[in-house]
Amino acid sequence: MRKVVARADPHGHECPDPGGRPSGGPEGGRTSGGRPDDGGGGTKGGGHNGGGNGAATPPPGGRDAARRLHAVMELAKALATAHTLMDVVRISARQARAAMDAALASVSIWERDSGHLRVLVNDGDLADGEEALPHAETYAVTDFPEIIAPATWPTAWSNTVDERDSAHERVVALRRRGRHGCMVAPIMVEGRVWGELYLARHAEQPRFDAVDAEFAAVLAAQISAGLAQAEHYQRIEKLAFTDPLTGLANRRAIDARLDAAITRHYREGVVVSLIVCDVNGLKRLNDERGHDVGDRLLERFADQLSACSAMLPGSMAARLGGDEFCVLIEGFTPDEVVAVAEELCRRALRMHDGEGVACGVASTGDPVGPVTSADRLFRLADAAQYRAKGSRAIHPVVAGRGQPPDPTVSLAVDDDAVLPADSAPAGPPHRDRRRFRGALHNAEPGRLLAAVLGALDERVPGRVHRADTLGRLEIVADTFARMLDGVSWWISYVPPQGHSLRTVRYSIHRMTGSPGAARARYEAGTAEYDLSAYPAAAEAVQGGGFVQEVGDAGNDPAEEDLLLVGGYKAMVVAGGTNAAGGWLVEVFTDELSLSAQGLAPVLRALVAVALTGGASLPE
């Protein structure tokens, strides 16, 4: 287990330090992730056989309840680390094949718009023409009526090569591929058939029976839970990077994409351009006819912006906030970008209720001087838009194309240098940013997500610069913990290609289980530990996340020990990587905190947001 270092809180109490972990393996003879013996004490040598009438003798391990329970637990643990739908699908096929002693396992999705089952993955002994990750293996749902027939839905069923209906599509496929029998279990997500789990055996293997069908249904149900989690995470991630009114990308998405684009420009010379525009007349429309009418104008303009950005394939259209929009373009000449900006201005003038847009353009391909940061290009485009707004121009203003000295380039001064931590911000905050005030605790995922994203957007210049990775993660950890009324949070770091995780910052909000609040404390830590001893944390550092409560079946023993020694009820953990390395955020709760169940995808999405933009090493 992890070593727990006692540290005094500001009131002199001893506080367990979750960041204090030894660099060696688990202590006290405890192991993390050890597998129990599949056979158990009662398994006889030689196993099972498939002879006789098939009713009394189970297939190898088929009726071993302990083994099958262990298989379900292994599947659940593996799915808990899955980050995407394809992660879930690959893990499910691999684990189900092993659990069912099958030669092949496949997972297919029912694409309702085309009426086909599309195979996403094949795992095991592949026949001629089969691919592990097929590109175009599809089957008409009408050939497999069992998946939608009310008489059988949603139970599992099987087919063999010697059954009477020899023309059945599955029987024909079994013969063609040299297999003897198959078992199919529908996969349900949110009350509807999502797809199916398909398992096949060779002739020398036992036939599937009724008990196998029940077990396949259990595995399919576990897979359903993994898919629901992946889809939930995708929705959360989309919410974090999408403007809810227009459906365009938001400022966070643009920040991440623009940083990557500037890196490509610096390394490869790729031309990067920005169109920044401000919708004219929105305030007047809101004041005179209401915000609903103003929102409709923004939606119509977003449609035009999206259509214009499609003229330059690969571009990203976004709403920055309020009446401000932008398009990020890579790989096109400045003249091509300006032509699209001109078209956008023409379309905006023709919109009902609109008064056109103020449009500014900046490109690394124009004479604007060195562009070594995303901030520099944004300032140039914003200054061009500011000049267009001031002159009521109906055409775009382009940075670097005025008479020298170009007034737009002169206007885009470097005004966002990092200030000392004790300096007051030199100007008003961004008008569209809102502060999380922490008056109420709330663990509802949508409100929690909005609160932390709001706190990230409200970061004070000079205290948390946009390129400060640790500062952004601290905002996430602190706001998340306060929303849950958590006990403490910890942030750790692992260098690129490293295997040792080092705690770099933490805060103890109050004593475990005590209603008396202690003053929050922010300090750097020096504890390090070997990730190989903590598999759950190692998975999280790669972009995963998990919630663990004391006493839950399947807990990572190392994390369970940490909770028990610290007196915690639960922990929410998520991590990810950026150019600086790997990062881990841990939030600990107790009986006084709100429930952490189901919040791993939320924290994972928030950590992903914090890791976008500039990257910096920990202090």
Side-chain angles (χ1 to χ4, degrees):
M1 71 178 191
R2 300 183 203 174
K3 181 180 179 182
V4 178
V5 182
R7 289 180 175 167
D9 78 348
H11 297 278
H13 300 99
E14 290 292 308
C15 302
D17 178 0
R21 302 166 180 165
S23 57
E27 299 176 1
R30 293 290 299 272
T31 62
S32 55
R35 292 173 59 99
D37 184 358
D38 285 350
T43 303
K44 298 182 181 296
H48 306 276
N49 64 74
N53 59 17
T57 307
R63 305 228 175 130
D64 183 342
R67 179 181 180 278
R68 289 194 161 174
L69 177 60
H70 176 71
V72 173
M73 290 176 58
E74 287 294 300
L75 175 59
K77 288 167 60 178
L79 289 178
T81 66
H83 310 149
T84 67
L85 182 143
M86 283 306 299
D87 287 341
V88 171
V89 167
R90 281 192 286 262
I91 289 170
S92 297
R94 182 178 68 249
Q95 296 279 359
R97 181 179 62 81
M100 291 288 293
D101 296 314
L104 177 89
S106 302
V107 176
S108 303
I109 184 172
W110 181 3
E111 296 180 328
R112 284 175 165 78
D113 57 347
S114 65
H116 282 78
L117 284 168
R118 179 165 62 89
V119 180
L120 299 176
V121 63
N122 292 308
D123 184 272
D125 298 333
L126 303 181
D128 290 342
E130 287 182 327
E131 299 175 295
L133 297 173
H135 297 289
E137 186 179 348
T138 61
Y139 305 93
V141 174
T142 53
D143 291 336
F144 309 106
E146 302 94 336
I147 199 170
I148 53 176
T152 57
W153 175 85
T155 59
W157 60 88
S158 64
N159 297 100
T160 61
V161 294
D162 53 5
E163 61 186 51
R164 292 181 180 179
D165 187 4
S166 60
H168 191 288
E169 181 67 25
R170 292 198 195 276
V171 176
V172 172
L174 286 171
R175 289 199 184 98
R176 184 171 66 248
R177 291 167 177 163
R179 297 178 182 127
H180 184 267
C182 66
M183 176 68 66
V184 183
I187 299 172
M188 308 286 295
V189 175
E190 296 182 351
R192 301 176 65 191
V193 178
W194 180 90
E196 67 173 33
L197 170 65
Y198 175 92
L199 302 138
R201 286 178 178 166
H202 293 313
E204 64 271 15
Q205 295 179 287
R207 297 186 180 188
F208 291 111
D209 61 10
V211 176
D212 288 319
E214 293 177 355
F215 187 42
V218 171
L219 294 175
Q222 189 64 59
I223 294 168
S224 299
L227 288 169
Q229 173 181 284
E231 292 185 352
H232 177 58
Y233 174 58
Q234 287 177 339
R235 286 194 292 267
I236 289 174
E237 192 173 47
K238 182 178 179 181
L239 178 62
F241 290 96
T242 304
D243 175 60
L245 176 65
T246 63
L248 299 178
N250 62 13
R251 180 61 185 260
R252 298 179 197 94
I254 281 288
D255 280 346
R257 175 81 173 269
L258 182 56
D259 278 317
I262 292 298
T263 299
R264 285 189 287 273
H265 165 69
Y266 183 76
R267 293 177 178 174
E268 306 166 21
V270 175
V271 176
V272 182
S273 306
L274 270 179
I275 301 172
V276 174
C277 44
D278 188 307
V279 177
N280 294 330
L282 180 65
K283 183 179 186 305
R284 178 194 58 78
L285 199 61
N286 285 336
D287 293 343
E288 295 178 2
R289 300 178 60 187
H291 285 267
D292 287 345
V293 177
D295 285 349
R296 301 295 80 77
L297 175 63
L298 293 175
E299 290 173 333
R300 289 194 298 274
F301 178 73
D303 291 343
Q304 299 302 323
L305 187 73
S306 178
C308 288
S309 69
M311 297 174 184
L312 302 174
S315 301
M316 174 182 277
R319 182 186 179 205
L320 301 177
D323 54 5
E324 295 181 330
F325 294 79
C326 81
V327 182
L328 170 60
I329 306 106
E330 294 182 69
F332 290 89
T333 67
D335 287 343
E336 290 173 308
V337 174
V338 172
V340 168
E342 291 276 10
E343 175 63 18
L344 180 62
C345 290
R346 285 192 293 270
R347 293 187 180 206
L349 282 172
R350 296 196 298 264
M351 287 195 313
H352 179 64
D353 290 331
E355 298 178 10
V357 294
C359 186
V361 179
S363 175
T364 60
D366 276 328
V368 294
V371 178
T372 58
S373 71
D375 287 336
R376 175 63 180 169
L377 191 62
F378 242 123
R379 281 196 302 272
L380 287 163
D382 202 43
Q385 182 270 329
Y386 180 82
R387 290 191 62 228
K389 189 84 168 179
S391 62
R392 298 184 179 274
I394 61 172
H395 299 284
V397 172
V398 185
R401 296 195 178 187
Q403 292 296 323
D406 184 277
T408 301
V409 176
S410 301
L411 185 62
V413 293
D414 293 332
D415 58 358
D416 67 340
V418 180
L419 303 175
D422 57 352
S423 297
H430 192 286
R431 64 176 179 273
D432 293 315
R433 295 182 174 173
R434 287 166 173 74
R435 180 182 300 277
F436 164 62
R437 304 194 181 278
L440 297 174
H441 302 298
N442 196 313
E444 193 277 319
R447 292 183 180 272
L448 181 56
L449 186 73
V452 181
L453 291 176
L456 273 172
D457 286 346
E458 187 64 18
R459 58 179 182 262
V460 179
R463 299 189 65 184
V464 180
H465 189 256
R466 66 185 305 275
D468 180 5
T469 298
L470 183 56
R472 295 195 306 268
L473 287 173
E474 179 179 320
I475 291 173
V476 169
D478 198 64
T479 310
F480 193 95
R482 291 181 187 279
M483 288 289 285
L484 293 184
D485 193 15
V487 176
S488 62
W489 57 258
W490 303 77
I491 300 173
S492 303
Y493 167 77
V494 59
Q497 310 303 319
H499 303 285
S500 181
L501 196 67
R502 173 169 60 92
T503 298
V504 293
R505 190 165 296 175
Y506 71 94
S507 173
I508 300 172
H509 288 253
R510 56 179 171 80
M511 295 302 297
T512 304
S514 170
R519 178 171 57 87
R521 184 178 60 173
Y522 302 83
E523 295 182 11
T526 58
E528 294 191 19
Y529 68 98
D530 186 349
L531 275 175
S532 64
Y534 304 95
E539 288 279 356
V541 169
Q542 296 304 313
F546 63 89
V547 172
Q548 186 163 304
E549 290 194 351
V550 170
D552 282 354
N555 277 353
D556 183 327
E559 308 298 338
E560 177 84 357
D561 288 341
L562 174 63
L563 291 173
L564 290 173
V565 173
Y568 302 113
K569 175 186 177 183
M571 62 193 302
V572 192
V573 181
T577 60
N578 64 5
W583 303 84
L584 189 73
V585 174
E586 301 169 289
V587 177
F588 294 86
T589 67
D590 64 3
E591 295 293 341
L592 299 178
S593 307
L594 299 182
S595 173
Q597 280 298 324
L599 296 183
V602 179
L603 185 57
R604 190 165 59 191
L606 291 167
V607 169
V609 171
L611 292 178
T612 60
S616 63
L617 295 170
E619 301 164 349

